[in-house]
Amino acid sequence: MLKLKRILLIAPSEMTLTPAFQRARALACATGAQLHIVAFDYVPALAVAGLLDHDAMAQAREGYLQVHRHWLEQQARFQQCLGMQVTTEVVWARSSVTHLLEYVNDFRPDLVIKDSHYIPALDRAFHRPLDWHLLRECPAHVHLVTSAAHPKPLKILASVDLSHLEELTQGLNDRILDLASTLAASCGAELHLLNVCRWSVMNDASMSVPTGSLDDSLRAAIEDAQQEAFDVLAERYCITNARRHSLTGTPHKIIGLFAQQNAFDMVVLGTIYPHGNSWFIGSTVENVMNRAPCSLMIVKPLPSPD
């Protein structure tokens, strides 16, 4: 079983307890992982004042950061009383993707947790939100938290993609189930498995085509092969028939609707971008993320050997 050792919580710059705090504490307590909380804080007014009086600005900045450090340390002390290993840090920097990725690469967590932020479609057309960049560029698994109704998840949905050969996805389906089964076992949650059967990759290419557009015999063969692979995965992770779900439709729509209708606390799904900016498997995750029905756990493939 997968072992989570280091969890990184990216806290908001505001000194407020958000759903991500509660989920990070619950997962760290359930898995026994070390929890490190980092907050990126930056006040433009202090930075501008520093252009006129550097020493005064440095003193004001340190006083401001000390308040934030004290607040985070208070949260950590409360969690340490529960027997958890918790550390904190406040960084004077904008919460940009560059700063976050540098921090992640230095800390090397197994899992990064942060609050999910909904961005309207019009805004997404002009700039990519931070969550989107983390989805594509963060080397660790990413957990985007939408709600704290159940800090320790009670129902987890692992969504796999069987339309691609495992060689193309670098064993991503197994990594999804490794993480999902670990979290379910640690939290005492129900684990369900979902595959949406409508798309298939032809001729080992990275472009998917709807199986409905194929010849009847070819479509049946593809669906049979996917069902066989689905059953093999389910058996390997001891998922009962009642918790296996094989559905047909557009993947991101079916995943979102199914998770919402069945009140899942977390959906675990994978993403991979092996061909530069091509969408490949990542497109499904991005579309689910835009209208997340619940918290999302985004699994990354093994890093490619140099």
Side-chain angles (χ1 to χ4, degrees), residues 3 5 22 30 52 56 78 132 142 154 163 174 181 186 223 236 262 274 302:
K3 176 67 175 176
K5 297 179 181 178
Q22 299 182 53
L52 303 176
F78 170 72
W132 184 90
V142 178
L154 304 179
S163 65
D174 272 312
S181 61
S186 300
E223 291 175 352
R236 188 182 305 157
N262 292 276
L302 284 169

Side-chain angles (χ1 to χ4, degrees), residues 264-304:
F264 284 98
D265 299 304
M266 178 192 300
V267 175
V268 186
L269 59 167
T271 185
I272 184 171
Y273 299 90
H275 301 293
N277 292 323
S278 68
W279 284 51
F280 199 24
I281 298 175
S283 62
T284 296
V285 182
E286 289 175 12
N287 284 316
V288 173
M289 185 175 71
N290 291 338
R291 294 179 176 82
C294 61
S295 298
L296 302 180
M297 181 72 72
I298 301 157
V299 177
K300 301 300 184 72
L302 284 169
S304 301

Side-chain angles (χ1 to χ4, degrees), residues 8 36 38 40 89 91 99-107:
L8 174 64
H36 182 67
V38 62
F40 291 85
E89 183 176 8
V91 177
H99 292 138
L100 291 184
L101 290 176
E102 287 177 353
Y103 201 93
V104 168
N105 287 328
D106 287 341
F107 185 71

Side-chain angles (χ1 to χ4, degrees), residues 183-251:
L183 295 174
S186 300
C187 298
E190 289 184 10
L191 176 59
H192 292 246
L193 179 61
L194 170 67
N195 178 54
V196 181
C197 183
R198 176 178 172 177
W199 304 88
S200 182
V201 171
M202 304 301 295
N203 300 323
D204 295 342
S206 61
M207 183 174 293
S208 297
V209 298
T211 54
S213 66
L214 303 177
D215 174 81
D216 288 347
S217 59
L218 180 56
R219 180 174 67 248
I222 289 172
E223 291 175 352
D224 287 346
Q226 289 194 21
Q227 187 61 47
E228 182 179 353
F230 181 77
D231 290 335
V232 168
L233 270 177
E235 291 291 341
R236 188 182 305 157
Y237 291 91
C238 302
I239 299 173
T240 63
N241 288 330
R243 296 180 182 177
R244 302 179 191 180
H245 313 281
S246 187
L247 305 177
T248 301
T250 304

Side-chain angles (χ1 to χ4, degrees), residues 13 15 39-43 64-65 68 90-95:
S13 57
M15 286 173 269
F40 291 85
D41 208 342
Y42 185 82
V43 180
Y64 175 82
L65 290 179
H68 201 159
V90 179
V91 177
W92 178 259
R94 296 181 187 274
S95 183

